[in-house]
Amino acid sequence: MKPILIRNGHLIDPATGIDAPRDLLLAEGKVIAVDKTGKIKHTIQYPDAEILDAKGLVVAPGFVDIHVHLREPGQGYKETIASGTAAAAAGGFTSVCAMPNTVPVNDSPETTRWMLAPERDAVIRVFPIAAATRGSMGETLTEYGSLRAAGAVAVTDDGKPILGDRIMRESLIAAARAGMPVIQHAEDTRLTGGCSMNAGPVAFRLGLRGMPVEAESGLVERDIRLLAEINDARAHLHVAHLSTRSALDAVRKARRNGLRVTCEVTPHHFVLNEEAVGDYNTDAKMNPPLRAESDRVAMIEGILDGSVDAIATDHAPHAAHEKEQEFERAPNGITGLESALGLAISILHIRHKMPLSRVIALLSTQPANILSLKGRGTLAIGSPADIVVFDPGKTWTFRAAASKSKSKNTPFDGWALQGKVHTTISEGRIVYREGNQL
Amino acid sequence: MAVKKKSSKASTRVVRKPAASGKKAAQQSIQSVIHPASLLSITQLSLEEVQSILALADQLEKEPPIRSEQRLFKRRVALLFYESSTRTRTSFELAAKALGADTTLVSDKSSSIEKGESLKDTGLTLRALGAECIILRSPYSGAPYLLAEATGLPVLNAGDGMHEHPSQALLDLRTILNRLGKSGSISSSTLKGVTITICGDIFHSRVARSNALLLPRLGARVILCGPAPLLPETAAQIAPKDASGSVVIERDFDRALAQSQIVMMLRIQAERLAGLALDLEEYKSRYQANAERIVRYAAKSVIMHPGPMIRGLEITSEVADGPQSVIEEQVRNGVAIRMALIARALSEQSTASGISMRKNSR
């Protein structure tokens, strides 16, 4: 692995508070030096360093996506760990946290280790999130301690929310002991049977059964109540892909009450509303569904006022034949890794004037903190050399066909976006270079 | 052009899909655009098109059979039915045959659909077998869009899930206009001053949606009537934004009746209730069209029902078979309307433009 000197760039590292022109020296997979432009003298110690000219570009800690579906084991036709991490690298991500709804469900240290094995050919760091209950059936807890030891960073039954009060309480307690958060896909499935989009006038007109807002907010409120009852400072609830104003309000209130509750929002929930379903576009079908415009605006407000801790993509690849079905039969989910930065910059930075440092914090530093991913989301000296170099001013057209993901199910195909990844470096290795097959 | 509705204006103002490039990319997964002579939703028809379909129905109905039979002689029309049907299927079939077309019926119970063949593949198979038009009934809302996009053929929606039943709305309109003695041109004031109550299981009804989307555009005031579980408050928002008429909700059937020249009764769709518990006795007492209620509140109104009826539940025999009922007339109008829709789908003009559109898309 050759040392890399990134020169002439504008470095933004929310973790160390740097937002200034800086050069960056990477060697042996770590950040070795950060200094003013032209100040790093590498020629003696690292004469063979590759020079990366980042003039006009932003240099930041690599992005951290705490909610992706890599589909392995079991569904390699949708995505593999190799293809999913390649897509992530192209999107500027250097760490992804893989959800356990694989086949079989990742509810064991064996599966967790299998996912982490070098044979998977991951091009960036993968952090598995293990099932909170065996088979994600919501009945018996998995072994949190041994899952953690095998490499799991959190537990969840994503997609199959934990409805029972008793088992959710047990999960929060056991996860607190193991030093992990419980991630909940907040959906009271007793209220959403047969539903395929958000409840409201659009669903009525399209003749589709709608998921009410209460199905999300009700479960978030229940989880917060359980967290309060446990009264253990270590207990941490993380709300996945939050999509409604009322659920966000519940999170805000819980935090004011001192509870350890964090939440993430996906790009599609702050960019699109339910109208994007159009005439049954299955690439606009996901769970939670695209909501009313007022909820979309609430997501933006929550991001701007700091209530939202992270942007996560919920990257959910599906094969073309699965999405080319009747709307109600098509599976939920869209890909998201390669459009996340462009959407975040176009909407949050350009339209809503959010400083780039805060956009980067939402994509990198804060998600790394939520799951305690040590050394990720920071450019502090000695931390892993996970770097993204991007051009915040470059406009480009996102093409699903050009995606590195195996699947092309995205509602953003053909969109003009601003903000494009130039280079992604994972632990000192260049894993993506714009316009260049590695 | 394709009948795609515009999506999410508010949220895509900054990040916009560039029209030309976005379209090109979308076609990599969808081979064809929607054929312009398809009828997927009643909302895709302008009032001028509604008028020309009604005029064509009149013309075809009067025409000597020997002449009609030559119109689509030996053309191939496929009926693809994923749900049982008596009226719609038979009238589409009779309509196609009256125009001289060959018809073939594919139903889910006797085809490879049972073996798991997808709607897309079924449509492509029918196209390869020479089908020039597909009439689709599906239990899934929106299925006709998928079929039309996959095949590029004119697709006629014969009822899709809870979404729409556009040919029913057209035949209902024909029935209403005949009864009100209105003929000639159709405009945004044709049904001005007319109140039409649609009563019953609105939530599950594609007939209610198509009618509520069409009639207010002609100036009608549409009252939706039913209990909350079968009629959510959001239903009133279905009225097209530019409609000259309106859609309102009235939970009191008697009050709705007293205002209405036209009353459309709907069946409770037990097959779509999905666990919804309904007290049928209470329902009958509040919403049944029975002789006592009709005599008292709507003695002069026209009584309609798209069928199938559950006699003794939403409507009694006295009313269904009574002098105010036009239920059989609706069925008869169905054949004429569907002849017009099939003729429109397979007319030289639309076929030609359809082919050129498909070519352009590739």
Side-chain angles (χ1 to χ4, degrees), chain A residues 260-277:
Chain A
R260 198 164 166 208
V261 181
T262 51
C263 67
E264 72 197 27
V265 170
T266 69
H268 46 276
H269 285 114
F270 69 73
V271 175
L272 298 174
N273 63 32
E274 60 194 346
E275 298 278 351
V277 171

Side-chain angles (χ1 to χ4, degrees), chain A residues 43-66:
Chain A
T43 42
I44 295 164
Q45 207 179 346
Y46 301 104
D48 60 335
E50 177 178 345
I51 309 293
L52 200 159
D53 185 12
K55 192 168 165 49
L57 305 175
V58 168
V59 180
F63 301 142
V64 176
D65 193 341
I66 56 175

Side-chain angles (χ1 to χ4, degrees), chain A residues 135-155:
Chain A
S136 285
M137 300 302 285
E139 282 160 17
T140 318
L141 291 192
T142 50
E143 304 284 337
Y144 292 5
S146 47
L147 286 165
R148 163 122 215 194
V153 293
V155 292

Side-chain angles (χ1 to χ4, degrees), chain B residues 36-210:
Chain B
S38 292
L39 182 57
L40 310 180
S41 161
I42 197 71
T43 57
Q44 77 183 75
L45 298 177
S46 66
L47 292 185
E48 292 71 38
E49 286 173 292
V50 170
Q51 184 178 322
S52 71
I53 290 166
L54 293 177
L56 184 55
D58 288 346
Q59 186 191 341
L60 293 171
E61 196 177 49
K62 287 185 203 128
E63 202 170 72
I66 193 123
R67 208 162 143 224
S68 316
E69 280 174 5
Q70 294 307 309
R71 284 185 173 262
L72 299 178
F73 184 70
K74 284 299 198 188
R75 302 286 295 271
R76 291 177 182 177
V77 173
L79 295 137
L80 179 52
F81 273 63
Y82 287 77
E83 257 185 7
S84 54
S85 163
T86 305
R87 261 159 302 277
T88 306
R89 199 191 81 195
T90 312
S91 68
F92 263 119
E93 189 171 350
L94 290 174
K97 290 203 162 112
L99 295 167
D102 283 346
T103 62
T104 181
L105 171 69
V106 179
S107 77
D108 56 332
K109 293 293 180 312
S110 57
S111 67
S112 287
I113 295 163
E114 256 189 328
K115 302 172 189 164
E117 188 164 35
S118 69
L119 177 60
K120 175 183 167 175
D121 285 331
T122 304
L124 293 177
T125 302
L126 290 174
R127 186 177 74 177
L129 289 168
E132 297 169 85
C133 168
I134 304 177
I135 296 158
L136 175 68
R137 164 159 296 188
S138 169
Y140 296 108
S141 297
Y145 290 87
L146 173 67
L147 184 67
E149 284 174 353
T151 63
L153 294 177
V155 168
L156 302 181
N157 180 357
D160 61 328
M162 294 160 24
H163 176 227
E164 278 211 49
H165 198 345
S167 64
Q168 180 74 39
L170 291 169
L171 73 89
D172 286 342
L173 177 61
R174 188 174 201 244
T175 310
I176 291 167
L177 295 174
N178 286 346
R179 280 288 155 165
L180 297 178
K182 291 182 192 280
S183 56
S185 72
I186 301 265
S187 73
S188 60
S189 60
T190 300
L191 292 178
K192 202 169 168 232
V194 177
T195 297
I196 299 163
T197 285
I198 307 177
C199 176
D201 186 357
I202 311 281
F203 179 67
H204 298 104
S205 174
R206 49 203 178 205
V207 175
R209 282 182 181 75
S210 285

Side-chain angles (χ1 to χ4, degrees), chain A residues 175-391:
Chain A
R177 257 186 231 133
M180 295 190 289
V182 177
I183 302 176
Q184 177 82 292
H185 162 123
E187 176 194 358
D188 188 338
T189 48
R190 292 164 295 202
L191 303 178
T192 57
C195 297
S196 52
M197 70 172 294
N198 184 46
V202 181
F204 182 82
R205 177 171 54 77
L206 292 173
L208 296 170
R209 294 172 196 274
M211 305 186 191
V213 159
E214 295 74 31
E216 175 173 289
S217 59
L219 205 58
V220 170
E221 284 159 13
R222 191 283 310 256
D223 290 345
I224 287 169
R225 177 170 57 77
L226 293 176
L227 191 69
E229 285 168 10
I230 289 165
N231 196 20
D232 178 340
R234 295 169 305 171
H236 176 188
L237 170 72
H238 178 70
V239 183
H241 45 48
L242 188 129
S243 68
T244 61
R245 182 184 292 274
S246 47
L248 182 59
D249 285 343
V251 168
R252 285 185 177 119
K253 191 172 157 214
R255 280 217 285 243
R256 277 199 303 273
N257 293 337
L259 292 172
R260 198 164 166 208
V261 181
T262 51
C263 67
E264 72 197 27
V265 170
T266 69
H268 46 276
H269 285 114
F270 69 73
V271 175
L272 298 174
N273 63 32
E274 60 194 346
E275 298 278 351
V277 171
D279 286 327
Y280 307 94
N281 178 8
T282 57
D283 285 339
K285 181 183 178 185
M286 68 289 285
N287 188 3
L290 297 173
R291 300 286 186 181
E293 176 62 7
S294 58
D295 284 313
R296 186 193 71 82
V297 169
M299 296 306 103
I300 294 279
E301 288 168 4
I303 288 169
L304 296 177
D305 72 16
S307 307
V308 172
D309 301 281
I311 294 170
T313 67
D314 194 7
H315 177 81
H318 292 292
H321 71 266
E322 296 173 309
K323 281 291 195 178
E324 280 186 341
Q325 290 195 81
E326 293 90 336
F327 192 84
E328 289 159 280
R329 300 177 81 185
N332 286 309
I334 62 170
T335 59
L337 287 164
E338 288 157 277
S339 48
L341 176 67
L343 290 168
I345 290 188
S346 302
I347 301 295
L348 301 179
H349 178 58
I350 303 297
R351 193 195 292 179
H352 292 285
K353 313 291 175 221
M354 186 181 227
L356 274 180
S357 61
R358 292 201 52 212
V359 174
I360 291 165
L362 284 163
L363 280 166
S364 180
T365 315
Q366 290 173 195
N369 289 343
I370 290 170
L371 297 189
S372 309
L373 307 180
K374 263 212 172 115
R376 312 291 163 175
T378 171
L379 295 181
I381 308 277
S383 53
D386 284 356
I387 316 286
V388 59
V389 181
F390 66 92
D391 184 343

